[in-house]
Amino acid sequence: MRIDLETLVQQNIKNLQAYRVEDLKDGIKLHANENPYPPPAELIEAFRARLAEFQLNRYPDPECRGLKDAIAQRTGRPAEQLVIGNGSDELIQILLQIFCGPGDAIVFPDPTFAMYSLIARGMGLEPVPVPLDERWDFKAEDLLAAAASHDARLVFLSYPNNPTGNCFSRSEIQTVVEQFPGIVVLDEAYHDFARQSFIDEMAEHNNLVVLRSLSKIGLAGLRVGYAIADPFTVGEINKIRLPYNSNTVSQAFAEQLLRDFSPVERQIGVILKERERLAEELSAHPKLTVFPSDSNFILFRVEGNGRSLFEALMAGGVLVRDLSAHPRLNHCLRVTVGTREENDQFLAQVRKALA
Ligand SMILES: Cc1ncc(COP(=O)(O)O)c(C=O)c1O
């Protein structure tokens, strides 16, 4: 049988395009906000020693007990407030599934992480972007007004915000958390670089969900994210989360990484120093406007043509993220902080291309 498969696809899916990132085979990858350093050698060694113990013929622990215990120790949050995701992306999707039905609105400052809108649209929800101001910040009043007028169920706040790099004003977020009568998701994927958090607010505000990720600090390939939420919300997530969403290897590796975090702390320290150096060097260039960053990446605007700089960098073997498809990010590129050598090569290519 041959069927016109397109006629079977839901309308909201038909209108979507697959999430696509450019790739470069043998170049320097500064496009995905990953940690440029591999996991510390001592971690790999400890892991190698444990590998034989894994019962890979058995399903993983559906409760992720060891990993949750390690997270509880690092965050001070008890295991009953934790859920592990196959990356924090998965938790974004699950939260939308729990709290929103077809046609419901979700609100977020814009520009922000593209997946909020993409996942929402895939589920037949209505994304309501609220434009950020020229300093990439927002007023709670505007966000709350947009949420009220669309009867929104959920607000996403990326803290710090991807792709602008900054943390929004704490007081504005605080007002949203206190006044929005729905779920506020504080996406702290870049927490380790900003070292600011809203988890302490959770005791008072049961509508707050904090998301964290291990993708930015060295384990992007293992897909580990987690949510910290009210035990009630955790219970709802557990109802629809696939029981084995987190695999044995990812759980064990993530647990080890978190139990001895000092080598990663050192990597983060180097990345933060490099971020300052990169920002300074880019700012010195008359054709570039650099936006302040609390993350492991930097957003900058190119006077003239951002796309041609992107392409010149690509031809020179350096991949960054071209964000110019977004109307507010005309001629803007985002570069992830790499190793010192990678950053040097990136800077050299930038100078060459703009000369
Ligand atoms: C703000 C934000 N949230 C979530 C994610 C997804 O992280 P994960 O790899 O844990 O799915 C990203 C990844 O780029 C991000 O930038």
Side-chain angles (χ1 to χ4, degrees):
M1 182 157 62
R2 302 263 340 145
I3 295 181
D4 179 0
L5 295 174
E6 207 180 330
T7 60
L8 301 178
V9 177
Q10 296 294 308
Q11 198 55 42
N12 54 311
I13 308 291
K14 267 189 207 169
N15 299 337
L16 292 181
Q17 281 180 356
Y19 187 82
R20 212 183 112 252
V21 266
E22 315 230 20
D23 203 5
L24 193 62
K25 252 212 148 57
D26 298 311
I28 297 176
K29 295 184 180 184
L30 302 179
H31 69 306
N33 302 342
E34 298 147 335
N35 182 347
Y37 303 103
E42 51 268 54
L43 178 64
I44 304 267
E45 214 27 70
F47 194 72
R48 210 193 302 276
R50 277 193 61 191
L51 208 54
E53 292 169 24
F54 293 147
Q55 295 191 310
L56 294 180
N57 54 321
R58 304 288 177 199
Y59 284 110
D61 172 12
E63 303 293 332
C64 307
R65 278 166 293 199
L67 175 53
K68 278 192 199 164
D69 184 62
I71 295 170
Q73 297 224 348
R74 269 202 69 71
T75 60
R77 298 290 127 183
E80 57 269 24
Q81 288 187 17
L82 302 175
V83 192
I84 309 301
N86 188 17
S88 49
D89 275 352
E90 186 191 34
L91 297 164
I92 293 170
Q93 183 175 38
I94 293 177
L95 288 165
L96 290 173
Q97 257 179 296
I98 293 171
F99 292 110
C100 306
D104 280 344
I106 63 151
V107 170
F108 45 81
D110 178 66
T112 192
F113 183 43
M115 291 310 288
Y116 306 146
S117 171
L118 207 74
I119 297 174
R121 284 165 58 211
M123 294 169 66
L125 311 178
E126 183 195 358
V128 178
V130 176
L132 287 169
D133 63 22
E134 69 287 350
R135 300 178 63 220
W136 304 131
D137 206 351
F138 71 89
K139 287 267 167 277
E141 198 185 333
D142 300 338
L143 201 112
L144 289 166
S149 69
H150 289 82
D151 199 14
R153 313 275 304 172
L154 190 145
V155 167
F156 280 111
L157 299 171
S158 172
Y159 185 77
N161 188 41
N162 177 15
T164 59
N166 58 308
C167 282
F168 302 132
S169 296
R170 234 189 134 82
S171 57
E172 301 306 307
I173 296 181
Q174 186 73 32
T175 306
V176 172
V177 172
E178 284 168 9
Q179 297 186 12
F180 178 59
I183 298 294
V184 180
V185 181
L186 247 298
D187 182 346
E188 298 184 355
Y190 300 94
H191 162 73
D192 294 281
F193 306 99
R195 297 173 174 155
Q196 300 194 47
S197 177
F198 271 82
I199 61 171
D200 290 340
E201 292 299 317
M202 294 184 51
E204 282 212 29
H205 303 287
N206 66 354
N207 61 333
L208 187 57
V209 178
V210 170
L211 297 181
R212 296 264 177 94
S213 173
L214 272 62
S215 297
K216 314 302 169 187
I217 54 171
L219 297 187
L222 289 182
R223 312 298 300 126
V224 181
Y226 60 94
I228 311 172
D230 186 88
F232 174 82
T233 303
V234 168
E236 299 307 295
I237 295 174
N238 282 333
K239 285 185 193 167
I240 56 162
R241 174 179 68 81
L242 297 178
Y244 304 116
N245 65 329
S246 178
N247 71 71
T248 301
V249 175
S250 295
Q251 286 185 39
F253 211 106
E255 180 185 341
Q256 293 253 9
L257 184 101
L258 293 171
R259 288 211 193 275
D260 181 10
F261 204 64
S262 45
V264 178
E265 250 346 324
R266 285 196 288 277
Q267 294 178 339
I268 293 169
V270 177
I271 291 167
L272 292 179
K273 278 208 192 104
E274 278 297 296
R275 180 183 77 197
E276 295 322 304
R277 182 175 78 94
L278 257 186
E280 242 169 63
E281 300 240 358
L282 289 172
S283 302
H285 202 290
K287 287 191 184 149
L288 302 178
T289 305
V290 177
F291 297 101
S293 171
D294 298 305
S295 314
N296 66 339
F297 58 86
I298 295 173
L299 180 74
F300 61 98
R301 177 166 278 131
V302 187
E303 189 193 301
N305 192 335
R307 183 73 199 173
S308 67
L309 176 57
F310 171 83
E311 282 166 3
L313 288 171
M314 183 95 145
V318 180
L319 182 58
V320 297
R321 190 79 196 267
D322 177 15
L323 293 156
S324 44
H326 190 291
R328 292 289 304 282
L329 298 173
N330 231 328
H331 302 302
C332 283
L333 304 182
R334 189 193 69 194
V335 61
T336 305
V337 180
T339 63
R340 188 170 179 90
E341 297 70 36
E342 289 174 338
N343 299 333
D344 281 342
Q345 289 201 42
F346 160 73
L347 287 167
Q349 294 284 346
V350 169
R351 280 189 215 104
K352 189 172 145 202
L354 294 180

